[in-house]
Structure formats: structure tokens, C-alpha cells
């Protein structure tokens, strides 16, 4: 296996503590075929992250024992499962919990566990932007911002103070002039799974 590049203190953080009410079941565990493999959606979503980072922190609810088991079976000790007791109060709390669990990081690449088609290049591109000194970074296609997004350590306290569902988006809007746009010509940076119909994804470039 090709050695992973050094990430120089940049942490990978994937938020996976939602209730998936619109999907009607635990979408993280639904089987999905992607690139010839049938695996739980969350495993597909995380594979490109583990191609870029030696370790990935995944934020879960305390009652997510089955998801935790699937992650450990797939990625062993490379996955750091972080519990968020206030996950039901909004994604901001999950973000804060993840940052607190990786508090010594020099920056964070943040993604979502319901986006199984994000390409490896988007993750590594945002990480590389942070490593090069960007305060903020985001995968973008033309003028549209997608995922993942990146935050330098200067935002540590604000990320840890995140609540509700607008914390990270607010920072990206407020400091838009500091966002390094990582050009990714792949619709996978926008494609999330909210309903069963979203499991059919046609990539266009």
C-alpha cells in the first residue's frame, strides 16, 4: 500500500450523528453499491477519507452502537469514534464535540457521513490548502461551495462554541474573503443522501 502523505497536524472530522428522519431508517447502515462494492453507506463515505488521513474522527450519538461496530470492523483503530451527547440539538454541537476531541489539531477538514461520493481529491485538496496556510478552505465547483470544508486553528474556539445547525456555515459566510476555493470538477461534493431516492447518483463532470 502506498504510504499516506503527512498531514502535519490537520485532523479529519466527519459528522455522523444525525437522526435521518427524512430517510425513514438509519441511512448510515443502508447497503449501497459504489465502485463495484456493496457496503454500508457510511463505509463508502469514509473510504476516501482513510485514503488521505491515517486517522479519522467520526462524531456519533451515544446510542449508535451498531454504527460504531461497523466502523471498527471496517477501519479498526484508524477510526476515532466521538460521542456527542447533544447531537439532537443540531449539527453545531456535533462539530463542537469533534473539535474538542481533536483539540490539539492545527486545523480540521470537516465532512458529512451521508455523502458517499465525495472524491478523494476534494478531501486532500482542502487538507493541502490548510497545510499551506489557508484560514478557511472549501471544495468548490464553479461558483458553488460543496464539501468538505476546512478550518484553521484560529477558529478553534468558535468551532467549539458551535450550536444549532448554522455554526460552520456562519463562519464561512462571515469570512468568505478568507476561503481558499479548491476547484473540484465532480458533482460528488454536493451529493448527499436525505431520502431513499438520493441513493441513485449520476456523476457528471
Amino acid at each position: 500500500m502506498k504510504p499516506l502523505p503527512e498531514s502535519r497536524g490537520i485532523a479529519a472530522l466527519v459528522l455522523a450523528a444525525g437522526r435521518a428522519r427524512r430517510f425513514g431508517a438509519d441511512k448510515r447502515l443502508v447497503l449501497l453499491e459504489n465502485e463495484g462494492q456493496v457496503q454500508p453507506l457510511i463505509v463508502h463515505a469514509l473510504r476516501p477519507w482513510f485514503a488521505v488521513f491515517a486517522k479519522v474522527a467520526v462524531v456519533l450519538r451515544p446510542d449508535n452502537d451498531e454504527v460504531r461496530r461497523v466502523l471498527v470492523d471496517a477501519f479498526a483503530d484508524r477510526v476515532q469514534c466521538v460521542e456527542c451527547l447533544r447531537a439532537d440539538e443540531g449539527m453545531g454541537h456535533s462539530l463542537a464535540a469533534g473539535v474538542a476531541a481533536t483539540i490539539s489539531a492545527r486545523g480540521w477538514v470537516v465532512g458529512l457521513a451521508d455523502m458517499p461520493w465525495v472524491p478523494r481529491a476534494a478531501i486532500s485538496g482542502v487538507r493541502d490548502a490548510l497545510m499551506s496556510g489557508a484560514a478557511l478552505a472549501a471544495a468548490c465547483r464553479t461558483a458553488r461551495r460543496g464539501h468538505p470544508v476546512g478550518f484553521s486553528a484560529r477558529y478553534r474556539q468558535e468551532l467549539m462554541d458551535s450550536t444549532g445547525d448554522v455554526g460552520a456555515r456562519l463562519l464561512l459566510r462571515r469570512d468568505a474573503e478568507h476561503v481558499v476555493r479548491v476547484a473540484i470538477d465532480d458533482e460528488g461534493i454536493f451529493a448527499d443522501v436525505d431520502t431513499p431516492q438520493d441513493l441513485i447518483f449520476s456523476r457528471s463532470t
Side-chain angles (χ1 to χ4, degrees):
M1 180 181 293
K2 183 179 178 181
L4 292 172
E6 175 59 52
S7 294
R8 295 208 301 268
I10 305 300
L13 181 56
V14 177
L15 309 183
R19 288 283 180 185
R21 292 183 175 89
R22 291 176 59 191
F23 193 89
D26 193 335
K27 61 185 175 183
R28 298 167 300 179
L29 298 177
V30 68
L31 294 179
L32 173 69
E33 182 174 2
N34 188 27
E35 297 181 347
Q37 298 186 68
V38 178
Q39 293 173 313
L41 184 148
I42 195 170
V43 174
H44 282 299
L46 285 169
R47 285 210 177 279
W49 289 82
F50 284 103
V52 175
F53 288 93
K55 198 172 190 72
V56 179
V58 182
V59 182
L60 302 169
R61 298 191 311 277
D63 60 351
N64 285 165
D65 291 344
E66 179 64 14
V67 176
R68 186 192 304 269
R69 184 192 65 76
V70 166
L71 292 177
V72 172
D73 284 349
F75 305 113
D77 59 357
R78 294 182 63 194
V79 63
Q80 176 186 358
C81 293
V82 178
E83 286 190 358
C84 179
L85 299 177
R86 301 179 66 184
D88 286 341
E89 297 177 42
M91 192 179 294
H93 291 285
S94 291
L95 178 60
V99 172
T102 54
I103 196 167
S104 62
R106 294 179 56 244
W108 295 267
V109 181
V110 181
L112 305 176
D114 64 353
M115 298 187 71
W117 300 289
V118 171
R120 174 179 176 176
I123 299 165
S124 62
V126 172
R127 181 207 59 184
D128 292 350
L130 293 175
M131 288 172 58
S132 297
L136 297 166
C140 298
R141 190 176 191 221
T142 60
R144 186 181 175 194
R145 189 178 73 233
H147 287 84
V149 295
F151 302 88
S152 70
R154 66 184 279 188
Y155 291 95
R156 179 182 288 112
Q157 191 58 54
E158 287 185 278
L159 293 172
M160 290 179 63
D161 291 340
S162 295
T163 59
D165 282 321
V166 297
R169 290 198 301 273
L170 178 61
L171 296 178
L172 292 165
R173 287 198 301 267
R174 187 194 70 193
D175 294 352
E177 70 274 16
H178 299 309
V179 177
V180 172
R181 302 170 67 84
V182 178
I184 300 294
D185 193 17
D186 192 313
E187 290 285 334
I189 66 172
F190 310 126
D192 60 354
V193 175
D194 287 329
T195 69
Q197 290 72 32
D198 294 330
L199 292 171
I200 302 173
F201 171 66
S202 178
R203 182 174 262 116
S204 61
T205 59

